[in-house]
Amino acid sequence: MATALKAGDDFPEGVTFTYVPYTPENASVTACGIPVKYDASKEFKNKKVVLVSVPGAFTPTCQNTHIQGYIEKLPELKAKGVDQVIVISYNDAWVQAAWAKANGIKDEIIFASDDGAPFSSSIGWTLGPRTARYAIVVDHGKVVYAEKEPAKDVTVSGVDAVLAKL
């Protein structure tokens, strides 16, 4: 049974994503690179992290409304103590890497894959087979904010909602 995360919960063990780390050699949008595993459970124990989930890369709401806020307000997030912002979607690691590069992102934000949505499914936050739109703030292993969008808008998972909770 999927259990949604809520403030006060420990971030679960065994959560991994995949992503393609930026290198000058794979800077082109069409360069593939090699995906690596990101052990979120391990990494989140030592950092303050904003995990943002979207249904799909390059889709209108995800691109134009949701992710742009995080890109534009990254300095504000950092000023509030955020060590890392991670954007996940149902898309594979190569699509996520291309999406990051198309937005001018190198390594300032990790664009990773919840390929097949195992993490999102484990917390019951999916849209059919895809990842749902949500945001989770984890501070050294503890969930301090976790909200899934109730409708198609970007409200509780947008950067302004997250900044208000930091």
Side-chain angles (χ1 to χ4, degrees):
M1 179 80 182
T3 305
L5 290 175
K6 61 187 180 313
D9 289 348
D10 288 329
F11 190 79
E13 291 295 324
V15 177
T16 62
F17 305 117
T18 55
Y19 79 107
V20 177
Y22 174 85
T23 65
E25 297 78 32
N26 71 9
S28 166
V29 171
T30 59
C32 294
I34 307 291
V36 297
K37 184 164 74 168
Y38 181 88
D39 187 338
S41 299
K42 179 182 172 192
E43 294 292 330
F44 291 8
K45 286 182 181 175
N46 302 310
K47 296 177 181 158
K48 188 174 191 177
V49 179
V50 175
L51 177 65
V52 184
S53 175
V54 298
F58 295 107
T59 59
T61 302
C62 301
Q63 172 63 33
N64 300 330
T65 307
H66 205 181
I67 298 311
Q68 288 307 311
Y70 284 95
I71 293 170
E72 292 165 8
K73 294 187 177 182
L74 186 60
E76 291 177 50
L77 291 161
K78 297 281 187 181
K80 291 204 172 210
V82 172
D83 298 302
Q84 186 69 65
V85 175
I86 301 172
V87 175
I88 62 168
S89 82
Y90 178 82
N91 300 101
D92 64 39
W94 293 285
V95 171
Q96 287 294 95
W99 193 26
K101 291 183 262 186
N103 279 285
I105 300 298
K106 293 179 181 174
D107 57 6
E108 308 89 0
I109 296 173
I110 293 175
F111 280 67
S113 173
D114 187 13
D115 196 4
F119 170 68
S120 296
S121 295
S122 76
I123 61 172
W125 287 358
T126 58
L127 293 173
R130 292 185 169 269
T131 50
R133 186 179 310 285
Y134 60 84
I136 300 171
V137 178
V138 182
D139 192 350
H140 294 81
K142 282 279 187 204
V143 174
V144 296
Y145 182 78
E147 291 292 335
K148 176 182 173 282
E149 289 296 346
K152 292 187 179 199
D153 298 334
V154 176
T155 57
V156 297
S157 67
V159 70
D160 292 329
V162 169
L163 279 166
K165 297 295 181 177
L166 294 175

